[in-house]
Amino acid sequence: MTELKVKIFWPVYHLEKILKVERVVASWCKKIGGELHIFYCIPYETVGSFPFQFIPEVQIREAINSHRATAEKTFKKLKERLDKDKIPASYEIKVGYIFLESISAIRKLSPSVVILTPEGGEILPFFLGSNTLRILRDTDRDVLFIKSRKESPQC
C-alpha cells in the first residue's frame, strides 16, 4: 500500500521575512510529515504598474526579472536548508495579484494544509493582511497560522 504524503502549501508574501519563520515552519512540516510547497507571487505593485501610470514595458520586464532572480536565489537556499532537515520541498514563483495567484495555486495543488505566516503591521500587529484574510476566507483547506517569535530586548 502506498503511503500518501500530506501536501503543505506555504504562500510567502515578503522574501525578507522568511528567516523569521522558516525554523517554525520547518518544525511543523516535520510534525505533520508532509511535503512543503512554497509559493511566491511577484505583485504587480512592486514593479510600479499602478493604474493610470505609464511605464515602458522594458522597465516592467526588468523589474520582474530582478524580483524573480532574488526570489530564485532565496528559495534555492531555503530548499537546501530544508533538504538538510529531510523535508521535501518545492517552490513556485508567479507574477500577478497575490490573492488570485495564491488561490489558483491552492486549487491546482489541492494541499491538505495551508500554512499562513502573517506578520501584521508594526502599529496594529493583531490585524491580518488583506491577502491572508482573503485566503482564509476563500480556501476550503485546513489553515495553520504561524506567528514568528519576537525577540525580547536585551537589558
Side-chain angles (χ1 to χ4, degrees), residues 5 7 36 47 56 65 75 78 82 91 96 109 130 145:
K5 280 254 183 201
K7 292 181 195 170
L36 179 63
V47 295
N65 289 339
F75 290 130
L78 176 60
L82 292 169
Y91 63 89
L109 184 67
S130 61
F145 279 92

Side-chain angles (χ1 to χ4, degrees), residues 4-64:
L4 293 176
K5 280 254 183 201
V6 174
K7 292 181 195 170
I8 304 166
F9 183 84
W10 179 26
V12 173
Y13 305 130
H14 306 285
L15 293 177
E16 66 277 1
K17 294 184 179 179
I18 286 178
L19 288 175
K20 284 178 146 182
V21 293
E22 137 185 7
R23 292 286 84 204
V24 182
V25 170
S27 71
W28 274 102
C29 288
K30 281 185 173 182
K31 288 175 189 174
I32 295 170
E35 180 180 324
L36 179 63
H37 182 78
I38 305 160
F39 179 81
Y40 179 66
C41 181
I42 301 168
Y44 284 135
E45 306 86 61
T46 62
V47 295
S49 57
F50 294 104
F52 311 114
Q53 180 183 11
F54 175 75
I55 296 176
E57 190 176 328
V58 173
Q59 286 180 326
I60 293 172
R61 251 186 275 127
E62 287 171 359
I64 289 171

Side-chain angles (χ1 to χ4, degrees), residues 29-138:
C29 288
K30 281 185 173 182
K31 288 175 189 174
I32 295 170
E35 180 180 324
L36 179 63
H37 182 78
I38 305 160
F39 179 81
Y40 179 66
C41 181
I42 301 168
Y44 284 135
E45 306 86 61
T46 62
V47 295
S49 57
F50 294 104
F52 311 114
Q53 180 183 11
F54 175 75
I55 296 176
E57 190 176 328
V58 173
Q59 286 180 326
I60 293 172
R61 251 186 275 127
E62 287 171 359
I64 289 171
N65 289 339
S66 172
H67 282 280
R68 187 179 302 277
T70 302
E72 281 283 340
K73 194 159 80 170
T74 301
F75 290 130
K76 280 182 184 176
K77 287 180 183 177
L78 176 60
K79 186 169 174 0
E80 287 171 8
R81 291 190 297 270
L82 292 169
D83 285 345
K84 284 181 186 174
D85 287 343
K86 296 181 175 43
I87 298 170
S90 60
Y91 63 89
E92 178 181 5
I93 301 168
K94 294 274 190 171
V95 177
Y97 295 103
I98 295 172
F99 161 68
L100 294 175
E101 294 295 339
S102 297
I103 290 297
S104 175
I106 289 169
R107 288 181 180 148
K108 184 177 103 183
L109 184 67
S110 191
S112 308
V113 178
V114 176
I115 291 181
L116 295 176
T117 53
E119 287 299 315
E122 293 299 316
I123 298 171
L124 301 170
F126 48 87
F127 281 116
L128 296 177
S130 61
N131 292 309
T132 300
L133 189 59
R134 288 175 181 160
I135 289 172
L136 180 61
R137 183 187 63 213
D138 289 356

